[in-house]
Structure formats: C-alpha cells, structure tokens
Amino acid sequence: MIRKKILMLGDFAVGKTSLVRHYIDNTFDDVYLTTIGVKVSKKMLAVNHVELELLIWDIEGETPSKKIPKAYFKGASGAIIVCDASRKETVEGIREHIGDLLAFNREAKYVIAYNKSDLLSAQQKETLSLSENTFLTSAKDGSQIDILFTTLAKEILL
Amino acid sequence: MRNVQIILNAILSKNIFEYILVDRKLHVISASQGVRKYVNAMPKEGDDVLEYLPELVGNEEEIKQIFVEKYCLYTLESVYKNNDYVNISVEYCDQNTAIILLHNITAITRAQQNLLQYSNESTLLYNTLQKVVDSQNTMLFVTNAEKIEFANKKFLNFFHAENIEEIQKKELKLYQKLDASLQNYRELFVSLKEGEKYLKLGKDIFIVQATQIEAAHTLFTLTKITDFPHEMQLDPLTGLYRKDYLNEMVEKSLQEKRNFALVVMDLDNFKQINDTYGHLTGDKVLKAFVMLLKQHIRKTDLLVRWGGDEFLLFLEDGSPENAILKIENIRKLIDEYHFETIDHLSCSFGLSYTKENDSVDSLLQRADKALYEAKIKGKNKVLFKEE
C-alpha cells in the first residue's frame, strides 16, 4: 500500500471541509464552521490496481491576516486547490495557492475545484473557461467530487 | 535529555502532555496512557507510529534526521485529533530514541476558532454588502468630516480609481465643487439639509443626497440625472429647470384648461452686484435667492431660470388676486432678507394670468410687459398685466 499526503488549499469559506466530508462520509451541512489548524482524514483508493491511502489534509482557509503554516506543506504530494465559483476574489486567489504549493514541492500535482457550482446558473457555468484538471464541484449535490480526488490520485501515481 | 525531563515532569503534573517514544525506524517503544484518546487505540511496542499519527507521513526522512542532528526538528501545530487539538513535536531523546509529544491546546484553539469564525463571517458579510453597493446604479461614498473613507465601484470607476486609497490621494473636495464656501463634508451635509443640490461633473449632472450613518460618518449619493430628457434642461448653477421645461408644463396646463399665473422676475441691479463683488458672489446671490424662493413656494409650483438673473414662476392659483398677494409676500421677503456679502437685494415681478385662447407666448408677453413697467416705475414692485 502506498500512502500519499494531499492538501486542501483555498481561501476561507470556499467549502474545503465540505468537499472532504462529502468524499469521506457522503454528508453535507450548509452551516459554515471555520476550520482551524488541520484535520487529517484517510481514504483508501484503488488506482490502476495500486492500493493507495490518501491522507487528506483539510487545512484552515487562508485569510489576508492569517497565512497557512508552512509546516503543513512539507511532504505533500499534491493538492486540491478550492475556490468558491460564486466569489470572484477566491477564484483570483487560485494562482497564489498554486504558487505556495509549488514553492515547497516543485513536483507536487494539483487539481482545481470551482466549488459551490450549485449556486451558478447554467449560463454562468457556460461562460467559465475551465482548464484541464479543473472541475465544477458541489459539496451540496456531490457533483464531480469523486473524479476530483481520483484525478489527483492518478496524477500523483504517474 | 534536559528538555525531555522538564516535559516529562509536566506530563506527570498535568494532563496536557502525552508522549510516544519511538526508535530510529519510527516504531513505537512505549507511550503514555493518555495517548489513547487521541489515536483511538493504545500503541503497542513495535507498531508503526504512522498508523497512529498519519500527520507525520511525508516527513519520515526529516524526522529521522533528528537522530543525526540531535535537536528538535519537527513541529506541527493545531492538529485536530478526536475532538481535541494538539501540537505535535518530535524531539531527540538519545541515539536510539525520539519522543513524540502531543501537547493538548484544545481550550485556546477553540477560543481562537470562535474569533476566527466571527472574523470570517464578518468578512463574508462585508464582501456581500460591498457587492450590494457595487451593484447600485448610483455613486455612493462615505466620508468623515474631512475625507472619503469608502466608495462603491461606480464612484471609483467614475474617478478612474482602482481603490479607496487612490481616491484619497486625489484629495477630491466635492463639497467645493458644489459651493466654494464649504470647508468640508460635514458642512456639505449641513447644507444639504436645506434642500437637494446638483453637482456638475464633466458633462453630467448629479443629484446629491446625504444620510448621517452615525456621528462620525455620512453617506453621500450622487444620482446621475442627465440621462433623463427633462433633467437635461437643468441649470447647473441653481439646479432649477430651464425655460423649455416650463413651456411644456404651461402648454399642458393650457390644454387641460387649468387656471394659473405666470410670473417673470428679474433681480434689481444685479449687474452692479457682479461688477462690485465679482461673479462668484453674484453666483452665490443667485443660489441664495433660489433657495429662499423654493422655501416659500409649493411643490406644485414651478420655478425655472430663464437666463442670467431672470426667473419664471408657474403658479397654480384660483385667482389673479391670490397670485398677486403671494408674489407680493415673496417680494417683501426678498426685500427684507439679509443676503451674505451684499446684504440687500430686491426683485421686480411681472404677472399674467390665464384667459381664453392664451398661449405660452401670449402669457409670457403680458408678464414681460408687466415686468418692464415694474422696472420703469422704480423696481422692487409686483405688477399685473391683464391685457
């Protein structure tokens, strides 16, 4: 079995914890509760006949006044960069989070989640130009969450 | 070992520290009983410590380095473990042993979480409100007495600024654009209590309104009105409509067979005021004159600027006598009013009143003749022309 550490990165209140909770427990609660520090959850996966244990680091969201402790980045093989598709400022923060990740590990892989897609109209979704490995997710209705994590897992094992 | 002894003593005295001793391969040697509550089971000798502390995965090589470097190399703060928060640190013990300390910081972390929750919710609310004010079609800005402290996107865009700091650098003194005698936004707010003002910025005219938010701050709104056909006929100095708008109103009233008076008024010796005190004072006199008149006419009456120091008043009244009486009162009011700088001002008035087959021109012609006679007869008079 292979163990890999992945990070959930993104601004506060973009839904990182909700994505993890949906992926691990298949539950959702729309009450916002701030994450502080880090909570590590485990998920077993079989990727291309390889047994993989993902150690998912749900990290507190970054705010202008509170940066993510650098120790959290050490040893990470990859990250899910999460933004709230309905909040432009969090989408603009994606680039910085990718930069933070790669500053610690140039080889780290990442995928991007435009979360809370359930809040977007069909027209708004159409106008989004999403690059490869970017997913329109919703922790509320569960859309594209499994593929988000498995895509990252495959990238890491490449 | 000195640090370890201190910490172990702390472990014995309080329940805030727990420990796991590990060997060079990060296998468990022993652990304190309290570790169980964090890792759901009691680690046994020989177990891989990563089974219990997956937070260390990815850092194995770095942790093993402490046996070489012989000092604390690895610390991880605020890790959530089974409803508690712990700081995890790995420290050198001896050449074959390292101690992993779990320091319970739940109480302080929960307090921090409450603060962070409050702060984040406040930020979200602020961002939402910002979006609401940015979506307004009106320019909004908030000031203290001296400067602008907040502005919506519409306002920033109009003044070609990216953010409020750029606006502050521009030192916009909008109050002086409205009235050169105003010294700050506080005075602007006070002056707006007397009535709405109009601000001309470039080609556009805006209605300026103010609301006191709390003692230190005032919300100002600038509503663009030049997009509307009627408001295009506004006089930027006084904020009054121009004559074209009055023509429309008179024509409509004539068609509806309504009775009304038309008054032409002309400030006496206004040229001398301009020549003696300057045009800036002249402008202030015109504004004060308009303000005074507006306070003494009804909302259904219409005061317009014809040009220079000539004004027209549409006065819907039951009879010519009533209209004459009302205008005479206004004449007296102006005659007795103390105007800033010039002290005294008088005005001459010519009236006409609707009759059969009247038109805008015929009404205006009679009122203008009456005004001419009032001037000839010594000014500061109200005259009515029936024929």
Side-chain angles (χ1 to χ4, degrees), chain A residues 47-69:
Chain A
V47 179
N48 300 332
H49 309 293
V50 176
E51 237 187 16
L52 171 69
E53 185 178 52
L54 275 185
L55 301 170
I56 305 164
W57 282 49
D58 179 19
I59 296 173
E60 71 180 71
E62 187 159 289
T63 67
S65 58
K66 198 164 191 290
K67 297 289 174 191
I68 297 167

mmCIF file with all atom_site columns, all heavy atoms in Angstrom, chain A residues 47-69:
data_model
loop_
_atom_site.group_PDB
_atom_site.id
_atom_site.type_symbol
_atom_site.label_atom_id
_atom_site.label_alt_id
_atom_site.label_comp_id
_atom_site.label_asym_id
_atom_site.label_entity_id
_atom_site.label_seq_id
_atom_site.pdbx_PDB_ins_code
_atom_site.Cartn_x
_atom_site.Cartn_y
_atom_site.Cartn_z
_atom_site.occupancy
_atom_site.B_iso_or_equiv
_atom_site.pdbx_formal_charge
_atom_site.auth_seq_id
_atom_site.auth_comp_id
_atom_site.auth_asym_id
_atom_site.auth_atom_id
_atom_site.pdbx_PDB_model_num
ATOM 1   N N   . VAL A 1 47 ? -6.162  2.580  -7.461  1.00 0.00 ? 47 VAL A N   1
ATOM 2   C CA  . VAL A 1 47 ? -5.928  3.326  -8.706  1.00 0.00 ? 47 VAL A CA  1
ATOM 3   C C   . VAL A 1 47 ? -5.003  2.494  -9.592  1.00 0.00 ? 47 VAL A C   1
ATOM 4   O O   . VAL A 1 47 ? -3.849  2.213  -9.217  1.00 0.00 ? 47 VAL A O   1
ATOM 5   C CB  . VAL A 1 47 ? -5.270  4.695  -8.406  1.00 0.00 ? 47 VAL A CB  1
ATOM 6   C CG1 . VAL A 1 47 ? -5.010  5.463  -9.690  1.00 0.00 ? 47 VAL A CG1 1
ATOM 7   C CG2 . VAL A 1 47 ? -6.136  5.503  -7.465  1.00 0.00 ? 47 VAL A CG2 1
ATOM 8   N N   . ASN A 1 48 ? -5.532  2.096  -10.745 1.00 0.00 ? 48 ASN A N   1
ATOM 9   C CA  . ASN A 1 48 ? -4.755  1.254  -11.667 1.00 0.00 ? 48 ASN A CA  1
ATOM 10  C C   . ASN A 1 48 ? -4.134  0.046  -10.942 1.00 0.00 ? 48 ASN A C   1
ATOM 11  O O   . ASN A 1 48 ? -2.941  -0.205 -11.046 1.00 0.00 ? 48 ASN A O   1
ATOM 12  C CB  . ASN A 1 48 ? -3.667  2.067  -12.371 1.00 0.00 ? 48 ASN A CB  1
ATOM 13  C CG  . ASN A 1 48 ? -4.267  3.200  -13.170 1.00 0.00 ? 48 ASN A CG  1
ATOM 14  O OD1 . ASN A 1 48 ? -5.402  3.115  -13.631 1.00 0.00 ? 48 ASN A OD1 1
ATOM 15  N ND2 . ASN A 1 48 ? -3.499  4.269  -13.308 1.00 0.00 ? 48 ASN A ND2 1
ATOM 16  N N   . HIS A 1 49 ? -4.975  -0.607 -10.150 1.00 0.00 ? 49 HIS A N   1
ATOM 17  C CA  . HIS A 1 49 ? -4.580  -1.812 -9.394  1.00 0.00 ? 49 HIS A CA  1
ATOM 18  C C   . HIS A 1 49 ? -3.566  -1.525 -8.302  1.00 0.00 ? 49 HIS A C   1
ATOM 19  O O   . HIS A 1 49 ? -2.942  -2.437 -7.761  1.00 0.00 ? 49 HIS A O   1
ATOM 20  C CB  . HIS A 1 49 ? -4.043  -2.903 -10.334 1.00 0.00 ? 49 HIS A CB  1
ATOM 21  C CG  . HIS A 1 49 ? -4.973  -3.183 -11.473 1.00 0.00 ? 49 HIS A CG  1
ATOM 22  N ND1 . HIS A 1 49 ? -6.216  -3.748 -11.279 1.00 0.00 ? 49 HIS A ND1 1
ATOM 23  C CD2 . HIS A 1 49 ? -4.844  -2.948 -12.802 1.00 0.00 ? 49 HIS A CD2 1
ATOM 24  C CE1 . HIS A 1 49 ? -6.827  -3.863 -12.451 1.00 0.00 ? 49 HIS A CE1 1
ATOM 25  N NE2 . HIS A 1 49 ? -6.010  -3.357 -13.398 1.00 0.00 ? 49 HIS A NE2 1
ATOM 26  N N   . VAL A 1 50 ? -3.394  -0.273 -7.984  1.00 0.00 ? 50 VAL A N   1
ATOM 27  C CA  . VAL A 1 50 ? -2.489  0.069  -6.877  1.00 0.00 ? 50 VAL A CA  1
ATOM 28  C C   . VAL A 1 50 ? -3.337  0.511  -5.701  1.00 0.00 ? 50 VAL A C   1
ATOM 29  O O   . VAL A 1 50 ? -4.260  1.309  -5.849  1.00 0.00 ? 50 VAL A O   1
ATOM 30  C CB  . VAL A 1 50 ? -1.526  1.221  -7.283  1.00 0.00 ? 50 VAL A CB  1
ATOM 31  C CG1 . VAL A 1 50 ? -0.658  1.643  -6.091  1.00 0.00 ? 50 VAL A CG1 1
ATOM 32  C CG2 . VAL A 1 50 ? -0.669  0.810  -8.463  1.00 0.00 ? 50 VAL A CG2 1
ATOM 33  N N   . GLU A 1 51 ? -3.042  -0.032 -4.520  1.00 0.00 ? 51 GLU A N   1
ATOM 34  C CA  . GLU A 1 51 ? -3.752  0.386  -3.313  1.00 0.00 ? 51 GLU A CA  1
ATOM 35  C C   . GLU A 1 51 ? -3.129  1.660  -2.789  1.00 0.00 ? 51 GLU A C   1
ATOM 36  O O   . GLU A 1 51 ? -1.919  1.710  -2.516  1.00 0.00 ? 51 GLU A O   1
ATOM 37  C CB  . GLU A 1 51 ? -3.650  -0.726 -2.251  1.00 0.00 ? 51 GLU A CB  1
ATOM 38  C CG  . GLU A 1 51 ? -4.997  -1.185 -1.815  1.00 0.00 ? 51 GLU A CG  1
ATOM 39  C CD  . GLU A 1 51 ? -4.926  -2.147 -0.651  1.00 0.00 ? 51 GLU A CD  1
ATOM 40  O OE1 . GLU A 1 51 ? -3.867  -2.233 0.004   1.00 0.00 ? 51 GLU A OE1 1
ATOM 41  O OE2 . GLU A 1 51 ? -5.922  -2.815 -0.415  1.00 0.00 ? 51 GLU A OE2 1
ATOM 42  N N   . LEU A 1 52 ? -3.962  2.656  -2.690  1.00 0.00 ? 52 LEU A N   1
ATOM 43  C CA  . LEU A 1 52 ? -3.430  3.960  -2.278  1.00 0.00 ? 52 LEU A CA  1
ATOM 44  C C   . LEU A 1 52 ? -4.226  4.473  -1.089  1.00 0.00 ? 52 LEU A C   1
ATOM 45  O O   . LEU A 1 52 ? -5.463  4.476  -1.111  1.00 0.00 ? 52 LEU A O   1
ATOM 46  C CB  . LEU A 1 52 ? -3.554  4.952  -3.450  1.00 0.00 ? 52 LEU A CB  1
ATOM 47  C CG  . LEU A 1 52 ? -3.247  6.413  -3.149  1.00 0.00 ? 52 LEU A CG  1
ATOM 48  C CD1 . LEU A 1 52 ? -1.762  6.627  -2.857  1.00 0.00 ? 52 LEU A CD1 1
ATOM 49  C CD2 . LEU A 1 52 ? -3.658  7.305  -4.322  1.00 0.00 ? 52 LEU A CD2 1
ATOM 50  N N   . GLU A 1 53 ? -3.522  4.896  -0.060  1.00 0.00 ? 53 GLU A N   1
ATOM 51  C CA  . GLU A 1 53 ? -4.195  5.564  1.057   1.00 0.00 ? 53 GLU A CA  1
ATOM 52  C C   . GLU A 1 53 ? -3.925  7.059  0.935   1.00 0.00 ? 53 GLU A C   1
ATOM 53  O O   . GLU A 1 53 ? -2.780  7.505  1.063   1.00 0.00 ? 53 GLU A O   1
ATOM 54  C CB  . GLU A 1 53 ? -3.704  5.048  2.410   1.00 0.00 ? 53 GLU A CB  1
ATOM 55  C CG  . GLU A 1 53 ? -4.501  5.653  3.553   1.00 0.00 ? 53 GLU A CG  1
ATOM 56  C CD  . GLU A 1 53 ? -4.059  5.119  4.924   1.00 0.00 ? 53 GLU A CD  1
ATOM 57  O OE1 . GLU A 1 53 ? -2.848  5.170  5.217   1.00 0.00 ? 53 GLU A OE1 1
ATOM 58  O OE2 . GLU A 1 53 ? -4.930  4.674  5.694   1.00 0.00 ? 53 GLU A OE2 1
ATOM 59  N N   . LEU A 1 54 ? -5.003  7.792  0.662   1.00 0.00 ? 54 LEU A N   1
ATOM 60  C CA  . LEU A 1 54 ? -4.863  9.256  0.597   1.00 0.00 ? 54 LEU A CA  1
ATOM 61  C C   . LEU A 1 54 ? -4.988  9.825  2.003   1.00 0.00 ? 54 LEU A C   1
ATOM 62  O O   . LEU A 1 54 ? -5.946  9.515  2.730   1.00 0.00 ? 54 LEU A O   1
ATOM 63  C CB  . LEU A 1 54 ? -5.967  9.861  -0.262  1.00 0.00 ? 54 LEU A CB  1
ATOM 64  C CG  . LEU A 1 54 ? -5.788  9.927  -1.775  1.00 0.00 ? 54 LEU A CG  1
ATOM 65  C CD1 . LEU A 1 54 ? -6.962  10.687 -2.396  1.00 0.00 ? 54 LEU A CD1 1
ATOM 66  C CD2 . LEU A 1 54 ? -4.474  10.603 -2.171  1.00 0.00 ? 54 LEU A CD2 1
ATOM 67  N N   . LEU A 1 55 ? -4.039  10.616 2.400   1.00 0.00 ? 55 LEU A N   1
ATOM 68  C CA  . LEU A 1 55 ? -4.126  11.329 3.673   1.00 0.00 ? 55 LEU A CA  1
ATOM 69  C C   . LEU A 1 55 ? -4.490  12.768 3.323   1.00 0.00 ? 55 LEU A C   1
ATOM 70  O O   . LEU A 1 55 ? -3.665  13.521 2.806   1.00 0.00 ? 55 LEU A O   1
ATOM 71  C CB  . LEU A 1 55 ? -2.790  11.269 4.409   1.00 0.00 ? 55 LEU A CB  1
ATOM 72  C CG  . LEU A 1 55 ? -2.325  9.837  4.707   1.00 0.00 ? 55 LEU A CG  1
ATOM 73  C CD1 . LEU A 1 55 ? -0.891  9.822  5.206   1.00 0.00 ? 55 LEU A CD1 1
ATOM 74  C CD2 . LEU A 1 55 ? -3.245  9.177  5.728   1.00 0.00 ? 55 LEU A CD2 1
ATOM 75  N N   . ILE A 1 56 ? -5.749  13.073 3.557   1.00 0.00 ? 56 ILE A N   1
ATOM 76  C CA  . ILE A 1 56 ? -6.276  14.365 3.092   1.00 0.00 ? 56 ILE A CA  1
ATOM 77  C C   . ILE A 1 56 ? -6.167  15.401 4.209   1.00 0.00 ? 56 ILE A C   1
ATOM 78  O O   . ILE A 1 56 ? -6.806  15.269 5.261   1.00 0.00 ? 56 ILE A O   1
ATOM 79  C CB  . ILE A 1 56 ? -7.746  14.220 2.646   1.00 0.00 ? 56 ILE A CB  1
ATOM 80  C CG1 . ILE A 1 56 ? -7.850  13.111 1.589   1.00 0.00 ? 56 ILE A CG1 1
ATOM 81  C CG2 . ILE A 1 56 ? -8.278  15.536 2.097   1.00 0.00 ? 56 ILE A CG2 1
ATOM 82  C CD1 . ILE A 1 56 ? -9.269  12.618 1.351   1.00 0.00 ? 56 ILE A CD1 1
ATOM 83  N N   . TRP A 1 57 ? -5.352  16.389 3.989   1.00 0.00 ? 57 TRP A N   1
ATOM 84  C CA  . TRP A 1 57 ? -5.141  17.448 4.986   1.00 0.00 ? 57 TRP A CA  1
ATOM 85  C C   . TRP A 1 57 ? -6.134  18.579 4.729   1.00 0.00 ? 57 TRP A C   1
ATOM 86  O O   . TRP A 1 57 ? -5.970  19.368 3.799   1.00 0.00 ? 57 TRP A O   1
ATOM 87  C CB  . TRP A 1 57 ? -3.709  17.991 4.887   1.00 0.00 ? 57 TRP A CB  1
ATOM 88  C CG  . TRP A 1 57 ? -2.680  17.107 5.531   1.00 0.00 ? 57 TRP A CG  1
ATOM 89  C CD1 . TRP A 1 57 ? -2.526  15.778 5.352   1.00 0.00 ? 57 TRP A CD1 1
ATOM 90  C CD2 . TRP A 1 57 ? -1.683  17.521 6.464   1.00 0.00 ? 57 TRP A CD2 1
ATOM 91  N NE1 . TRP A 1 57 ? -1.485  15.318 6.109   1.00 0.00 ? 57 TRP A NE1 1
ATOM 92  C CE2 . TRP A 1 57 ? -0.948  16.382 6.804   1.00 0.00 ? 57 TRP A CE2 1
ATOM 93  C CE3 . TRP A 1 57 ? -1.338  18.734 7.030   1.00 0.00 ? 57 TRP A CE3 1
ATOM 94  C CZ2 . TRP A 1 57 ? 0.119   16.416 7.696   1.00 0.00 ? 57 TRP A CZ2 1
ATOM 95  C CZ3 . TRP A 1 57 ? -0.266  18.780 7.922   1.00 0.00 ? 57 TRP A CZ3 1
ATOM 96  C CH2 . TRP A 1 57 ? 0.435   17.623 8.257   1.00 0.00 ? 57 TRP A CH2 1
ATOM 97  N N   . ASP A 1 58 ? -7.141  18.606 5.572   1.00 0.00 ? 58 ASP A N   1
ATOM 98  C CA  . ASP A 1 58 ? -8.102  19.714 5.483   1.00 0.00 ? 58 ASP A CA  1
ATOM 99  C C   . ASP A 1 58 ? -7.549  20.863 6.331   1.00 0.00 ? 58 ASP A C   1
ATOM 100 O O   . ASP A 1 58 ? -7.545  20.814 7.561   1.00 0.00 ? 58 ASP A O   1
ATOM 101 C CB  . ASP A 1 58 ? -9.467  19.246 6.000   1.00 0.00 ? 58 ASP A CB  1
ATOM 102 C CG  . ASP A 1 58 ? -10.497 20.349 5.950   1.00 0.00 ? 58 ASP A CG  1
ATOM 103 O OD1 . ASP A 1 58 ? -10.282 21.327 5.200   1.00 0.00 ? 58 ASP A OD1 1
ATOM 104 O OD2 . ASP A 1 58 ? -11.504 20.254 6.675   1.00 0.00 ? 58 ASP A OD2 1
ATOM 105 N N   . ILE A 1 59 ? -7.085  21.866 5.624   1.00 0.00 ? 59 ILE A N   1
ATOM 106 C CA  . ILE A 1 59 ? -6.345  22.946 6.286   1.00 0.00 ? 59 ILE A CA  1
ATOM 107 C C   . ILE A 1 59 ? -7.228  24.179 6.423   1.00 0.00 ? 59 ILE A C   1
ATOM 108 O O   . ILE A 1 59 ? -8.060  24.463 5.559   1.00 0.00 ? 59 ILE A O   1
ATOM 109 C CB  . ILE A 1 59 ? -5.101  23.302 5.433   1.00 0.00 ? 59 ILE A CB  1
ATOM 110 C CG1 . ILE A 1 59 ? -4.156  22.101 5.391   1.00 0.00 ? 59 ILE A CG1 1
ATOM 111 C CG2 . ILE A 1 59 ? -4.380  24.522 5.971   1.00 0.00 ? 59 ILE A CG2 1
ATOM 112 C CD1 . ILE A 1 59 ? -2.998  22.296 4.453   1.00 0.00 ? 59 ILE A CD1 1
ATOM 113 N N   . GLU A 1 60 ? -7.046  24.920 7.488   1.00 0.00 ? 60 GLU A N   1
ATOM 114 C CA  . GLU A 1 60 ? -7.839  26.150 7.661   1.00 0.00 ? 60 GLU A CA  1
ATOM 115 C C   . GLU A 1 60 ? -7.604  27.080 6.478   1.00 0.00 ? 60 GLU A C   1
ATOM 116 O O   . GLU A 1 60 ? -6.507  27.152 5.912   1.00 0.00 ? 60 GLU A O   1
ATOM 117 C CB  . GLU A 1 60 ? -7.495  26.853 8.977   1.00 0.00 ? 60 GLU A CB  1
ATOM 118 C CG  . GLU A 1 60 ? -6.133  27.501 9.030   1.00 0.00 ? 60 GLU A CG  1
ATOM 119 C CD  . GLU A 1 60 ? -5.880  28.181 10.376  1.00 0.00 ? 60 GLU A CD  1
ATOM 120 O OE1 . GLU A 1 60 ? -5.705  27.454 11.373  1.00 0.00 ? 60 GLU A OE1 1
ATOM 121 O OE2 . GLU A 1 60 ? -5.849  29.422 10.409  1.00 0.00 ? 60 GLU A OE2 1
ATOM 122 N N   . GLY A 1 61 ? -8.657  27.772 6.097   1.00 0.00 ? 61 GLY A N   1
ATOM 123 C CA  . GLY A 1 61 ? -8.578  28.656 4.938   1.00 0.00 ? 61 GLY A CA  1
ATOM 124 C C   . GLY A 1 61 ? -7.686  29.846 5.187   1.00 0.00 ? 61 GLY A C   1
ATOM 125 O O   . GLY A 1 61 ? -7.577  30.337 6.316   1.00 0.00 ? 61 GLY A O   1
ATOM 126 N N   . GLU A 1 62 ? -7.068  30.271 4.098   1.00 0.00 ? 62 GLU A N   1
ATOM 127 C CA  . GLU A 1 62 ? -6.170  31.416 4.233   1.00 0.00 ? 62 GLU A CA  1
ATOM 128 C C   . GLU A 1 62 ? -6.978  32.718 4.212   1.00 0.00 ? 62 GLU A C   1
ATOM 129 O O   . GLU A 1 62 ? -7.917  32.868 3.446   1.00 0.00 ? 62 GLU A O   1
ATOM 130 C CB  . GLU A 1 62 ? -5.157  31.415 3.085   1.00 0.00 ? 62 GLU A CB  1
ATOM 131 C CG  . GLU A 1 62 ? -4.086  32.476 3.264   1.00 0.00 ? 62 GLU A CG  1
ATOM 132 C CD  . GLU A 1 62 ? -2.849  32.142 2.449   1.00 0.00 ? 62 GLU A CD  1
ATOM 133 O OE1 . GLU A 1 62 ? -2.144  31.192 2.810   1.00 0.00 ? 62 GLU A OE1 1
ATOM 134 O OE2 . GLU A 1 62 ? -2.614  32.839 1.465   1.00 0.00 ? 62 GLU A OE2 1
ATOM 135 N N   . THR A 1 63 ? -6.592  33.628 5.069   1.00 0.00 ? 63 THR A N   1
ATOM 136 C CA  . THR A 1 63 ? -7.171  34.974 5.047   1.00 0.00 ? 63 THR A CA  1
ATOM 137 C C   . THR A 1 63 ? -5.999  35.941 4.898   1.00 0.00 ? 63 THR A C   1
ATOM 138 O O   . THR A 1 63 ? -4.842  35.564 5.137   1.00 0.00 ? 63 THR A O   1
ATOM 139 C CB  . THR A 1 63 ? -7.921  35.294 6.359   1.00 0.00 ? 63 THR A CB  1
ATOM 140 O OG1 . THR A 1 63 ? -6.975  35.362 7.421   1.00 0.00 ? 63 THR A OG1 1
ATOM 141 C CG2 . THR A 1 63 ? -8.969  34.249 6.673   1.00 0.00 ? 63 THR A CG2 1
ATOM 142 N N   . PRO A 1 64 ? -6.281  37.194 4.520   1.00 0.00 ? 64 PRO A N   1
ATOM 143 C CA  . PRO A 1 64 ? -5.178  38.142 4.366   1.00 0.00 ? 64 PRO A CA  1
ATOM 144 C C   . PRO A 1 64 ? -4.345  38.281 5.642   1.00 0.00 ? 64 PRO A C   1
ATOM 145 O O   . PRO A 1 64 ? -3.146  38.530 5.607   1.00 0.00 ? 64 PRO A O   1
ATOM 146 C CB  . PRO A 1 64 ? -5.891  39.451 4.037   1.00 0.00 ? 64 PRO A CB  1
ATOM 147 C CG  . PRO A 1 64 ? -7.173  39.035 3.416   1.00 0.00 ? 64 PRO A CG  1
ATOM 148 C CD  . PRO A 1 64 ? -7.563  37.773 4.105   1.00 0.00 ? 64 PRO A CD  1
ATOM 149 N N   . SER A 1 65 ? -5.004  38.102 6.800   1.00 0.00 ? 65 SER A N   1
ATOM 150 C CA  . SER A 1 65 ? -4.266  38.302 8.052   1.00 0.00 ? 65 SER A CA  1
ATOM 151 C C   . SER A 1 65 ? -3.708  36.998 8.629   1.00 0.00 ? 65 SER A C   1
ATOM 152 O O   . SER A 1 65 ? -2.962  37.013 9.592   1.00 0.00 ? 65 SER A O   1
ATOM 153 C CB  . SER A 1 65 ? -5.181  38.957 9.080   1.00 0.00 ? 65 SER A CB  1
ATOM 154 O OG  . SER A 1 65 ? -6.314  38.145 9.284   1.00 0.00 ? 65 SER A OG  1
ATOM 155 N N   . LYS A 1 66 ? -4.082  35.860 8.072   1.00 0.00 ? 66 LYS A N   1
ATOM 156 C CA  . LYS A 1 66 ? -3.611  34.584 8.633   1.00 0.00 ? 66 LYS A CA  1
ATOM 157 C C   . LYS A 1 66 ? -3.183  33.644 7.510   1.00 0.00 ? 66 LYS A C   1
ATOM 158 O O   . LYS A 1 66 ? -4.018  33.125 6.779   1.00 0.00 ? 66 LYS A O   1
ATOM 159 C CB  . LYS A 1 66 ? -4.713  33.943 9.484   1.00 0.00 ? 66 LYS A CB  1
ATOM 160 C CG  . LYS A 1 66 ? -4.202  32.873 10.436  1.00 0.00 ? 66 LYS A CG  1
ATOM 161 C CD  . LYS A 1 66 ? -5.253  32.578 11.501  1.00 0.00 ? 66 LYS A CD  1
ATOM 162 C CE  . LYS A 1 66 ? -4.689  31.714 12.623  1.00 0.00 ? 66 LYS A CE  1
ATOM 163 N NZ  . LYS A 1 66 ? -4.407  30.356 12.221  1.00 0.00 ? 66 LYS A NZ  1
ATOM 164 N N   . LYS A 1 67 ? -1.885  33.477 7.398   1.00 0.00 ? 67 LYS A N   1
ATOM 165 C CA  . LYS A 1 67 ? -1.347  32.612 6.349   1.00 0.00 ? 67 LYS A CA  1
ATOM 166 C C   . LYS A 1 67 ? -1.290  31.163 6.845   1.00 0.00 ? 67 LYS A C   1
ATOM 167 O O   . LYS A 1 67 ? -1.243  30.908 8.057   1.00 0.00 ? 67 LYS A O   1
ATOM 168 C CB  . LYS A 1 67 ? 0.075   33.083 5.964   1.00 0.00 ? 67 LYS A CB  1
ATOM 169 C CG  . LYS A 1 67 ? 0.105   34.496 5.374   1.00 0.00 ? 67 LYS A CG  1
ATOM 170 C CD  . LYS A 1 67 ? -0.513  34.513 3.984   1.00 0.00 ? 67 LYS A CD  1
ATOM 171 C CE  . LYS A 1 67 ? -0.628  35.934 3.464   1.00 0.00 ? 67 LYS A CE  1
ATOM 172 N NZ  . LYS A 1 67 ? -1.447  36.024 2.251   1.00 0.00 ? 67 LYS A NZ  1
ATOM 173 N N   . ILE A 1 68 ? -1.243  30.243 5.904   1.00 0.00 ? 68 ILE A N   1
ATOM 174 C CA  . ILE A 1 68 ? -1.183  28.823 6.256   1.00 0.00 ? 68 ILE A CA  1
ATOM 175 C C   . ILE A 1 68 ? 0.221   28.513 6.771   1.00 0.00 ? 68 ILE A C   1
ATOM 176 O O   . ILE A 1 68 ? 1.215   28.893 6.138   1.00 0.00 ? 68 ILE A O   1
ATOM 177 C CB  . ILE A 1 68 ? -1.492  27.955 5.021   1.00 0.00 ? 68 ILE A CB  1
ATOM 178 C CG1 . ILE A 1 68 ? -2.920  28.234 4.558   1.00 0.00 ? 68 ILE A CG1 1
ATOM 179 C CG2 . ILE A 1 68 ? -1.290  26.476 5.314   1.00 0.00 ? 68 ILE A CG2 1
ATOM 180 C CD1 . ILE A 1 68 ? -3.230  27.682 3.180   1.00 0.00 ? 68 ILE A CD1 1
ATOM 181 N N   . PRO A 1 69 ? 0.317   27.811 7.935   1.00 0.00 ? 69 PRO A N   1
ATOM 182 C CA  . PRO A 1 69 ? 1.656   27.461 8.451   1.00 0.00 ? 69 PRO A CA  1
ATOM 183 C C   . PRO A 1 69 ? 2.439   26.655 7.411   1.00 0.00 ? 69 PRO A C   1
ATOM 184 O O   . PRO A 1 69 ? 1.909   25.716 6.814   1.00 0.00 ? 69 PRO A O   1
ATOM 185 C CB  . PRO A 1 69 ? 1.356   26.611 9.692   1.00 0.00 ? 69 PRO A CB  1
ATOM 186 C CG  . PRO A 1 69 ? -0.032  26.982 10.092  1.00 0.00 ? 69 PRO A CG  1
ATOM 187 C CD  . PRO A 1 69 ? -0.750  27.336 8.826   1.00 0.00 ? 69 PRO A CD  1
#
